[in-house]
Amino acid sequence: MAWELKTDRPIYAQLIEQLELRICSGIYPPGARMPSVRDLAQEASVNPNTMQRALASLEEDGLLYSHRTSGRFVTKDVEMIRKTRNKLAQEQVHEFLKKMGELGFEYSEILSIITDLAEELIK
Amino acid sequence: MAWELKTDRPIYAQLIEQLELRICSGIYPPGARMPSVRDLAQEASVNPNTMQRALASLEEDGLLYSHRTSGRFVTKDVEMIRKTRNKLAQEQVHEFLKKMGELGFEYSEILSIITDLAEELIK
DNA sequence: ACTATTGTATTAGTTACTTAATACAATAGT
DNA sequence: ACTATTGTATTAAGTAACTAATACAATAGT
C-alpha cells in the first residue's frame, strides 16, 4: 500500500487516515514497532514535522505509544484496533450511502451496482 | 440539504462538490437560475469570493453558465448532467470499495452490511 | 435615461499548512 | 562511559486558502 497524498487537503490529515488504515488492516500489527518518524517521513516524501504531527494525533487517540528512544509502537490492545476498524467501516458505509442517496440512487440500485462490480472482479 | 463545511479541507473544494451534487440531484434543475453569488455565499456562511471561485470552476466544467447581469444558470444539457451524476456515483463506489477492501472486508461482508442497513431504514 | 442587481476583478491582510534547519532529551547497545 | 538513534521542540520562511472591502461592467426592469 503506497502513500497517496493529494493536494486538495491537508497532508497531515491524509497521513492520519492512512496510518490508521495501516494499523487496522494489520500492515502495522498490534505491538509492532513503527518505522522512525524520519523514515516514515522519507517514505511518504513528507517533512518529518508533518509526519510527527500525524503520529502525535494517533498517539492521542491511543492507537500508538512511544518510548523515548526505542521507538514508536502500535498498541497491543487488539480490542481497540477492532473497534477503530469497525468505526472506520461504519463511517465509510454511512458516507457512501448518504452520497449515493443525495445523487438519487435507491438501495436496490446501489446493491446491484456493487454486486455487478463484485462479479466483474471475480471473473 | 444544508451546507456542510468541515475545516479539514479547503472550503472551495467542498463547495464545488456540494454544488455538483445539488445539480445532479435536481435541487438546481437543468436550465434553472441559481441564487446570486452573494446569496449563495450568505447561505453557506462563506465569503462571496470563495463561492465565486467554486462557481467559476463548475462553469469551466460546463455545468453552469452565466449571463452578465441576469444571473447564473444550470446547463440545459441533461445528458451532461446525467454523465456527471454517473461519474460521481462511480467514483463513490470505487472509493468505498477500495477503502473497505483496505480495511480487510470481503465483498460478501460489504453486501450484508449494506443490506442490513437497508432493512434498518425500511422498518 | 435611471437604477438596482448581476457577475467579475483587484488588493490587502490573516491564518493554517508545510517545509526547512536545527537543537535538545533520553536510552538502547556497545 | 560513549555513541548512535530515538522522539520531541523551536524558530523561521514560504505558500495557499480564506476573508474583507471595494470597485467595475453589464443589462434587465422600470
Side-chain angles (χ1 to χ4, degrees):
Chain A
M1 180 190 173
W3 294 96
E4 276 182 29
L5 300 173
K6 301 184 180 175
T7 58
D8 70 335
R9 43 195 301 241
I11 292 178
Y12 81 93
Q14 300 180 58
L15 291 177
I16 290 174
E17 282 178 13
Q18 293 184 33
L19 286 167
E20 225 174 11
L21 207 59
R22 283 163 183 237
I23 292 169
C24 289
S25 69
I27 294 181
Y28 302 139
R33 185 176 180 281
M34 300 281 293
S36 75
V37 185
R38 295 166 176 81
D39 286 352
L40 281 172
Q42 195 170 24
E43 259 188 50
S45 304
V46 151
N47 188 279
N49 294 329
T50 309
M51 183 58 75
Q52 163 74 16
R53 175 169 178 181
L55 291 169
S57 168
L58 292 184
E59 204 150 329
E60 269 191 23
D61 297 342
L63 228 44
L64 296 178
Y65 65 93
S66 56
H67 285 319
R68 191 73 185 195
T69 69
S70 54
R72 187 178 266 107
F73 301 84
V74 179
T75 180
K76 289 168 185 161
D77 185 345
V78 291
E79 182 57 18
M80 172 177 230
I81 294 178
R82 200 188 56 76
K83 277 184 184 166
T84 305
R85 176 172 177 267
N86 286 341
K87 188 200 70 182
L88 292 178
Q90 207 157 29
E91 283 173 5
Q92 289 301 318
V93 175
H94 186 263
E95 272 182 41
F96 171 65
L97 291 180
K98 187 180 168 206
K99 273 274 176 62
M100 293 298 282
E102 286 169 342
L103 279 171
F105 286 85
E106 306 287 342
Y107 274 105
S108 53
E109 284 182 88
I110 298 174
L111 280 176
S112 60
I113 288 175
I114 291 187
T115 44
D116 287 356
L117 256 174
E119 285 167 9
E120 281 280 333
L121 293 176
I122 287 170
K123 76 174 181 192
Chain B
M1 178 191 176
W3 295 97
E4 277 182 29
L5 300 174
K6 301 183 180 175
T7 58
D8 70 334
R9 43 195 301 242
I11 294 177
Y12 80 94
Q14 301 180 58
L15 291 177
I16 291 174
E17 281 178 14
Q18 293 184 33
L19 286 167
E20 224 174 11
L21 206 60
R22 283 162 185 238
I23 292 170
C24 289
S25 69
I27 294 181
Y28 302 138
R33 184 176 181 281
M34 302 280 292
S36 75
V37 184
R38 294 165 176 82
D39 286 352
L40 281 173
Q42 195 170 24
E43 259 188 50
S45 303
V46 150
N47 187 279
N49 293 328
T50 308
M51 183 58 76
Q52 163 75 16
R53 176 170 178 180
L55 292 168
S57 167
L58 292 184
E59 204 150 330
E60 268 191 23
D61 298 341
L63 228 45
L64 296 178
Y65 65 93
S66 56
H67 285 320
R68 192 73 185 196
T69 67
S70 54
R72 187 177 266 108
F73 300 84
V74 179
T75 181
K76 288 168 186 162
D77 185 346
V78 290
E79 183 57 17
M80 171 176 232
I81 295 177
R82 199 188 56 77
K83 279 184 184 166
T84 304
R85 176 174 178 265
N86 286 342
K87 188 200 68 182
L88 292 178
Q90 208 156 29
E91 284 173 3
Q92 289 301 318
V93 174
H94 186 263
E95 272 180 42
F96 171 65
L97 291 181
K98 187 180 168 206
K99 273 275 175 61
M100 292 298 281
E102 287 168 341
L103 279 171
F105 287 86
E106 306 286 343
Y107 274 105
S108 53
E109 285 182 88
I110 298 175
L111 281 175
S112 60
I113 289 175
I114 292 186
T115 44
D116 286 357
L117 255 175
E119 284 166 10
E120 280 281 335
L121 293 177
I122 286 170
K123 79 177 179 191

